[in-house]
Amino acid sequence: MLTDSDSERLTAPSWSRRHLLDLDDFAASEIELILDTTDAMKEVLSREIPRVPALRGTTVVTLFYEASTRTRASFELAGKVLGADVINVAASASSVEKGEALLDTIRTIQAIGADVCVLRHNVSGAPYIAARESDFRVVNAGDGSHAHPTQALLDAYTLRVHLGDIRGRKIVIVGDIAHSRVARSNVWSLTALGAEVVVCGPPTLLPHGLDRLAPDAEERDFPPVRVEKHLDIAIEDADAVMALRLQKERQANGLLPSLREYSRLYQVNNDRLARAKPEALVLHPGPINEGVEISTEVAHGARSLVEEQVTNGVAVRMAVLYLLMRGEPPA
Amino acid sequence: MLTDSDSERLTAPSWSRRHLLDLDDFAASEIELILDTTDAMKEVLSREIPRVPALRGTTVVTLFYEASTRTRASFELAGKVLGADVINVAASASSVEKGEALLDTIRTIQAIGADVCVLRHNVSGAPYIAARESDFRVVNAGDGSHAHPTQALLDAYTLRVHLGDIRGRKIVIVGDIAHSRVARSNVWSLTALGAEVVVCGPPTLLPHGLDRLAPDAEERDFPPVRVEKHLDIAIEDADAVMALRLQKERQANGLLPSLREYSRLYQVNNDRLARAKPEALVLHPGPINEGVEISTEVAHGARSLVEEQVTNGVAVRMAVLYLLMRGEPPA
Amino acid sequence: MLTDSDSERLTAPSWSRRHLLDLDDFAASEIELILDTTDAMKEVLSREIPRVPALRGTTVVTLFYEASTRTRASFELAGKVLGADVINVAASASSVEKGEALLDTIRTIQAIGADVCVLRHNVSGAPYIAARESDFRVVNAGDGSHAHPTQALLDAYTLRVHLGDIRGRKIVIVGDIAHSRVARSNVWSLTALGAEVVVCGPPTLLPHGLDRLAPDAEERDFPPVRVEKHLDIAIEDADAVMALRLQKERQANGLLPSLREYSRLYQVNNDRLARAKPEALVLHPGPINEGVEISTEVAHGARSLVEEQVTNGVAVRMAVLYLLMRGEPPA
């Protein structure tokens, strides 16, 4: 559907997923298939008329229990570029008032005829319920502190554009690791792709017991990663640093001493970047608290990929919608 | 527009309505025309690419003064499947803040160029004002405790699919009859189609004076129906039972003793269904308070048509939009 | 894109703007180019299928920090008629909650790939920030008390339809001049088009120092206009009277004595209109506080252009979107 050519790949990589819920069980080859498909979608977006009818007739429902300008609009545009119809349901403002529980809303959306439901929910695991209780495809657009797979995929895509192969690269994730679905999904995808991942943050914001994880642990939240409490150490020779958004409400819980203290110890700034590789990249899922997680000069500097991440987000989401609906990459 | 054939029906049934405001003056033939058109729309929805350009160029505005995920999304998809452009206006969250009254908003929506306005409003009769003060077609998507005609039409359609002819069938509507626009519209349509309708509920939730209605009453809210305060009696030999959603705020008004008491006397459960016909069907406009109006096992059992009702809602709304805009059924 | 003809204008008028932020520096020829393009868009809207693919592939984001049914829906329909995809972002209800500042949201919307951002913001000047910090085209849909250029353009278009040439016509703007972005934009466009503009209102609602403005003032908010505190005097021999919406909260600030007093002195009614030209026209940006700014009989009388203004708003916004994206008027 994306090209005029009749030729098809003789050996198309296989795609067998019905849903995108988490990346914890994704093989490197599956992630790479999404990233390769993202390349094809970037080409579509570069056209003079960046629209294709690949998903014409498809109904995508975005069901957001948390507000998010960027993620919802990114999915909405991804669907529209591919010719799908997109129906937005802001659940916080509508169904919840009338006591419609998640399950009921899921069943309603399915019964209406949705093909894909893009679900953001404040409760970890909600997308699994949606996938289990419906026939449609589910894309997790962020659930509680559990996972945000399309964010991690756009991060991986953006890193791959700049670093080439991610294998063997040292990537530091810094911030509130314990509560971050972005961190969690990135750890899974980046380790699957062969990166050396280091997570870094204040002890109160690191997952309990993370540093006790053995490589062969049976039950674990994370794959084995190195944990480092000092950013100055973690960042040494890093190829990329990903700062996470700090939720200021953590202070109320006593988990965070002060923004000033946090910035002093964990802000990504030029001084700290001097310890990383010379061309080290800086990522952030946005929106940045400028001067807290990242210094203003770094946030707007040449190494910052923040806006490129957002741009790549549309193409990554196109790739995900395409693969889930068509079951194979574009020819 | 729905078929490739040039042939037209020689004797197309007539359709002469500009608006769908209520079903109180609909003849059986008109309701059946909508249900037949719904059959054609179900066929469209079953296609590999379930989209037709039948209403291309048409602007549908959904104007909702009450939040409703399912009804708004159902109309939005119905419009999009037919190729219309759909613009959503959530009046509670926007115009009302700036003091825009209904009438002003109606005139604005007309002046902008809407062809159809799908209106939900908490005040009974609001769609009549919209119809009187504008040139566009009005679809009542629920007004106060007055009417919800597309809900009744999807209920009639769903019953027809399972029962064949509705004529002579015994259908019990149970719950808060007095305040229910769903009950009211269903009573009109089901009696028009020749069903034997029994309404049942606590005395405080039955319309005042309903049981005094004579078959030849000149002025009445309802056509003649049987009123029965005991569900165990009402349900005897029923072909279908339609439970209404209980608004829990009725308790605050003293109209409802307790949910436990209500469930004990009026819940549709397997014990009660044993008194109905063996294949008796169960309907509910949703969302269900599970364990109150309907027992959990019945809600998810084989007799429950709840999700099928939602599915049929899209096709029924396509039929209504089509008939109002085109003035005749599809060839 | 609008006609089947291959012929092109030999001497197409030039259009060189990237944004529509204000009308303060627009030449008459530029405004007339927009109004001529609006004529072409009115023709499109009069077609049996009022849709053209002129902006197919274009992404329009409406970003509204203030609620407005009419303006947002008008832009949304304008985009859709031209084949653009429209994504609505109600910033008040989403991003602001998560602390996304305007600048961050602007960068996100750009990174997502918006071609045009239609921005309404309660802070004067916000669209300038959006234009400076992004690559997309910005349409100011109302910013603080600064400007509302598409409103002024639809007013000018509506006046031109009825008056022919605006040059030399006397147009009175009455109401809260000091706080009105509608007044300000209209003063700029109407004076550019050669009208004799008189602004009129209670002294507390006139801009400070406005009556001291000399025709050659270097720094000024307004071009030279006549200021008149008495509507009975201002309205003499007027060709048109434009009443502004009164924000009732001005009373809380002590700027407005009472609605009764305001109506007595500044209401546009038949008595006052008797002093204007016999066919004098009445405009209002809506929504009207009926009986305050305009008497009910005038608001719904033959001279009132209020609904026509709204209707023309869609065509004007189509013209603006078209010119900004295509860089020249339709052939």
Side-chain angles (χ1 to χ4, degrees):
Chain A
M1 291 298 280
L2 300 179
T3 71
D4 295 330
S5 158
D6 283 340
S7 65
E8 303 226 345
R9 285 188 190 180
L10 291 182
T11 56
S14 70
W15 177 263
S16 58
R17 305 256 175 191
R18 286 185 55 77
H19 309 290
L20 179 64
L21 304 174
D22 193 359
L23 297 172
D24 59 350
D25 61 347
F26 269 60
S29 64
E30 287 179 294
I31 295 172
E32 280 159 4
L33 176 60
I34 298 173
L35 305 190
D36 293 344
T37 304
T38 303
D39 276 331
M41 298 302 164
K42 291 286 281 186
E43 187 277 319
V44 168
L45 290 171
S46 72
R47 296 181 191 178
E48 193 177 336
I49 296 185
R51 295 295 184 274
V52 287
L55 297 188
R56 183 169 142 65
T58 299
T59 301
V60 176
V61 173
T62 68
L63 175 60
F64 273 53
Y65 284 81
E66 292 179 343
S68 169
T69 297
R70 75 180 62 207
T71 307
R72 196 266 298 163
S74 178
F75 272 109
E76 182 175 350
L77 184 56
K80 287 179 170 176
V81 167
L82 293 173
D85 287 308
V86 181
I87 292 179
N88 297 311
V89 176
S92 48
S94 64
S95 53
V96 172
E97 285 172 21
K98 291 193 66 176
E100 291 181 36
L102 172 65
L103 202 53
D104 190 78
T105 302
I106 289 297
R107 288 188 185 131
T108 298
I109 286 171
Q110 165 174 309
I112 280 171
D115 299 295
V116 184
C117 178
V118 176
L119 176 61
R120 167 163 294 197
H121 203 285
N122 53 311
V123 175
S124 299
Y128 289 82
I129 297 173
R132 195 182 62 219
E133 299 288 334
S134 75
D135 294 334
F136 52 61
R137 313 304 174 111
V138 177
V139 180
N140 182 358
D143 65 324
S145 58
H146 170 249
H148 193 353
T150 59
Q151 177 69 41
L153 289 166
L154 71 88
D155 292 334
Y157 182 82
T158 305
L159 286 167
R160 193 175 83 160
V161 166
H162 287 270
L163 298 177
D165 198 350
I166 289 172
R167 189 163 306 277
R169 300 295 193 161
K170 178 175 178 184
I171 297 162
V172 180
I173 305 176
V174 57
D176 181 1
I177 308 292
H179 305 91
S180 171
R181 55 198 179 201
V182 173
R184 210 178 156 287
S185 285
N186 263 294
V187 166
W188 283 111
S189 56
L190 293 173
T191 53
L193 292 170
E196 176 199 348
V197 180
V198 181
V199 298
C200 177
T204 51
L205 299 179
L206 289 173
H208 293 300
L210 184 69
D211 46 1
R212 284 180 280 114
L213 278 177
D216 54 358
E218 285 285 310
E219 298 257 328
R220 62 195 179 206
D221 255 6
F222 276 2
V225 293
R226 187 180 136 204
V227 179
E228 176 51 63
K229 283 165 194 163
H230 299 286
L231 182 53
D232 288 330
I233 296 170
I235 207 167
E236 274 174 14
D237 293 318
D239 292 278
V241 187
M242 180 185 298
L244 303 173
R245 178 169 173 81
L246 199 67
Q247 304 297 332
K248 291 178 184 172
E249 55 269 31
R250 301 291 175 230
Q251 283 185 290
N253 305 342
L255 295 176
L256 190 62
S258 76
L259 293 184
R260 177 187 301 265
E261 180 75 358
Y262 181 87
S263 303
R264 194 175 66 78
L265 294 171
Y266 296 102
Q267 185 186 79
V268 179
N269 54 34
N270 280 330
D271 283 351
R272 289 218 164 82
L273 281 172
R275 296 166 171 266
K277 290 240 179 83
E279 305 293 317
L281 306 166
V282 175
L283 294 89
H284 189 290
I288 302 177
N289 297 303
E290 264 186 43
V292 178
E293 304 116 18
I294 303 184
S295 69
T296 295
E297 59 184 352
V298 169
H300 300 286
R303 296 165 163 207
S304 169
L305 302 180
V306 175
E307 288 175 31
E308 194 176 327
Q309 289 171 274
V310 177
T311 299
N312 290 335
V314 177
V316 160
R317 283 156 185 141
M318 288 169 66
V320 168
L321 293 174
Y322 187 97
L323 288 168
L324 291 179
M325 284 305 299
R326 304 284 296 247
E328 58 181 12
Chain B
M1 291 297 281
L2 299 180
T3 72
D4 294 330
S5 157
D6 282 339
S7 67
E8 303 227 343
R9 286 188 190 181
L10 292 181
T11 55
S14 70
W15 177 262
S16 59
R17 305 257 175 190
R18 286 184 56 76
H19 308 290
L20 179 63
L21 304 174
D22 194 359
L23 298 171
D24 59 349
D25 61 346
F26 268 60
S29 63
E30 288 179 294
I31 296 172
E32 280 160 3
L33 176 59
I34 298 172
L35 304 189
D36 293 346
T37 303
T38 303
D39 277 331
M41 299 303 165
K42 290 284 282 186
E43 186 276 319
V44 167
L45 290 171
S46 72
R47 297 181 190 177
E48 193 177 336
I49 296 185
R51 296 295 185 273
V52 286
L55 297 188
R56 181 168 144 65
T58 298
T59 302
V60 176
V61 173
T62 68
L63 175 60
F64 274 52
Y65 284 81
E66 291 179 344
S68 170
T69 297
R70 75 179 64 206
T71 308
R72 196 266 298 163
S74 178
F75 272 109
E76 182 174 349
L77 185 56
K80 288 178 169 176
V81 167
L82 293 172
D85 287 308
V86 181
I87 292 180
N88 296 312
V89 176
S92 48
S94 64
S95 53
V96 172
E97 285 173 21
K98 291 194 67 178
E100 291 180 36
L102 172 65
L103 202 53
D104 190 79
T105 301
I106 289 298
R107 289 188 184 129
T108 297
I109 286 170
Q110 165 174 309
I112 280 172
D115 298 296
V116 183
C117 178
V118 176
L119 175 61
R120 167 162 293 196
H121 202 285
N122 53 311
V123 175
S124 298
Y128 290 82
I129 297 173
R132 195 181 63 219
E133 300 286 335
S134 74
D135 294 334
F136 50 62
R137 313 304 174 110
V138 176
V139 180
N140 182 357
D143 64 325
S145 56
H146 171 248
H148 193 352
T150 59
Q151 177 69 41
L153 290 166
L154 71 88
D155 292 333
Y157 182 81
T158 306
L159 286 167
R160 194 175 82 161
V161 166
H162 287 269
L163 299 176
D165 198 351
I166 289 173
R167 189 163 306 277
R169 300 295 193 161
K170 179 176 177 183
I171 297 162
V172 179
I173 306 177
V174 56
D176 181 1
I177 309 292
H179 305 90
S180 171
R181 54 197 181 203
V182 173
R184 210 178 155 287
S185 286
N186 264 294
V187 167
W188 283 111
S189 57
L190 293 174
T191 53
L193 292 170
E196 177 199 348
V197 180
V198 181
V199 299
C200 176
T204 51
L205 299 179
L206 289 173
H208 293 299
L210 184 69
D211 45 3
R212 283 180 280 112
L213 278 176
D216 52 359
E218 285 285 308
E219 298 256 328
R220 59 194 181 208
D221 254 8
F222 275 3
V225 293
R226 188 180 134 204
V227 179
E228 176 52 62
K229 283 166 195 163
H230 299 286
L231 182 54
D232 287 330
I233 296 171
I235 207 168
E236 274 176 14
D237 292 320
D239 293 279
V241 187
M242 180 185 298
L244 303 173
R245 178 170 172 81
L246 199 67
Q247 305 296 331
K248 293 179 183 171
E249 55 269 31
R250 301 291 173 228
Q251 284 186 288
N253 305 341
L255 295 176
L256 190 62
S258 76
L259 292 184
R260 178 187 299 264
E261 179 77 357
Y262 181 87
S263 303
R264 194 176 64 79
L265 295 171
Y266 296 102
Q267 185 186 80
V268 180
N269 54 36
N270 279 331
D271 283 351
R272 291 217 164 82
L273 280 172
R275 297 166 172 264
K277 289 240 179 83
E279 304 295 316
L281 306 166
V282 176
L283 294 89
H284 189 291
I288 301 176
N289 297 303
E290 265 186 40
V292 179
E293 304 116 18
I294 303 183
S295 69
T296 295
E297 59 185 349
V298 169
H300 301 286
R303 296 164 163 209
S304 169
L305 302 180
V306 175
E307 288 175 31
E308 194 177 327
Q309 289 171 274
V310 177
T311 299
N312 291 335
V314 177
V316 159
R317 282 154 186 144
M318 289 169 66
V320 167
L321 293 175
Y322 187 97
L323 288 167
L324 291 178
M325 284 306 299
R326 303 286 295 250
E328 58 180 14
Chain C
M1 293 298 280
L2 300 179
T3 72
D4 295 331
S5 158
D6 282 339
S7 65
E8 303 227 342
R9 285 190 190 180
L10 292 181
T11 55
S14 69
W15 177 263
S16 58
R17 305 255 175 192
R18 286 185 56 78
H19 309 290
L20 179 65
L21 304 174
D22 193 359
L23 298 172
D24 59 349
D25 61 347
F26 269 61
S29 63
E30 287 179 294
I31 295 173
E32 280 159 3
L33 176 60
I34 298 173
L35 304 190
D36 293 346
T37 303
T38 303
D39 277 331
M41 298 303 164
K42 290 285 281 187
E43 186 276 319
V44 168
L45 289 171
S46 73
R47 296 181 190 177
E48 194 177 335
I49 297 185
R51 296 294 185 274
V52 287
L55 297 189
R56 182 168 143 66
T58 300
T59 302
V60 175
V61 173
T62 67
L63 175 59
F64 273 53
Y65 284 82
E66 292 178 344
S68 168
T69 297
R70 75 180 63 207
T71 306
R72 196 266 299 163
S74 179
F75 273 108
E76 182 175 350
L77 184 55
K80 288 179 170 175
V81 167
L82 293 172
D85 287 308
V86 181
I87 292 179
N88 297 311
V89 176
S92 47
S94 63
S95 53
V96 172
E97 285 172 23
K98 290 193 66 175
E100 292 180 35
L102 172 65
L103 202 53
D104 189 78
T105 301
I106 289 298
R107 288 188 184 129
T108 298
I109 286 170
Q110 165 173 310
I112 280 172
D115 299 295
V116 184
C117 178
V118 176
L119 176 61
R120 166 161 295 196
H121 204 284
N122 53 311
V123 175
S124 298
Y128 290 82
I129 297 172
R132 195 181 63 218
E133 299 287 335
S134 75
D135 294 333
F136 51 62
R137 312 303 174 112
V138 177
V139 180
N140 182 357
D143 64 326
S145 56
H146 171 248
H148 193 352
T150 59
Q151 177 69 41
L153 289 166
L154 71 88
D155 292 334
Y157 182 82
T158 305
L159 286 167
R160 193 174 84 160
V161 166
H162 287 269
L163 299 176
D165 198 351
I166 288 172
R167 188 163 307 277
R169 299 295 193 161
K170 179 176 176 183
I171 297 162
V172 179
I173 305 176
V174 57
D176 181 1
I177 309 293
H179 305 90
S180 171
R181 55 196 179 203
V182 174
R184 209 178 156 286
S185 285
N186 264 294
V187 166
W188 283 111
S189 57
L190 293 173
T191 53
L193 292 169
E196 175 198 349
V197 179
V198 181
V199 298
C200 176
T204 50
L205 298 180
L206 290 173
H208 293 300
L210 183 68
D211 46 2
R212 285 181 279 112
L213 277 177
D216 52 1
E218 285 285 309
E219 297 258 328
R220 60 196 180 204
D221 254 7
F222 275 2
V225 292
R226 190 180 133 203
V227 180
E228 176 51 62
K229 283 165 194 161
H230 299 287
L231 182 54
D232 287 330
I233 296 171
I235 207 169
E236 274 176 14
D237 292 318
D239 292 279
V241 187
M242 180 185 297
L244 303 173
R245 179 170 172 81
L246 199 67
Q247 304 297 332
K248 292 178 183 172
E249 54 268 32
R250 301 292 173 229
Q251 284 185 289
N253 305 342
L255 296 176
L256 190 63
S258 76
L259 292 184
R260 178 189 299 264
E261 180 77 357
Y262 181 88
S263 303
R264 194 175 65 78
L265 295 170
Y266 296 101
Q267 185 187 79
V268 179
N269 55 35
N270 279 330
D271 282 352
R272 290 216 165 83
L273 280 173
R275 296 167 172 266
K277 290 241 179 82
E279 304 294 318
L281 305 166
V282 176
L283 294 89
H284 189 290
I288 301 176
N289 296 303
E290 265 187 39
V292 179
E293 304 116 18
I294 303 183
S295 69
T296 294
E297 59 185 350
V298 169
H300 300 286
R303 296 164 164 210
S304 168
L305 302 179
V306 175
E307 288 175 32
E308 195 177 326
Q309 289 171 273
V310 177
T311 299
N312 290 334
V314 177
V316 159
R317 283 156 185 142
M318 288 169 66
V320 167
L321 293 175
Y322 187 97
L323 288 167
L324 291 178
M325 283 306 299
R326 304 285 295 249
E328 59 180 13

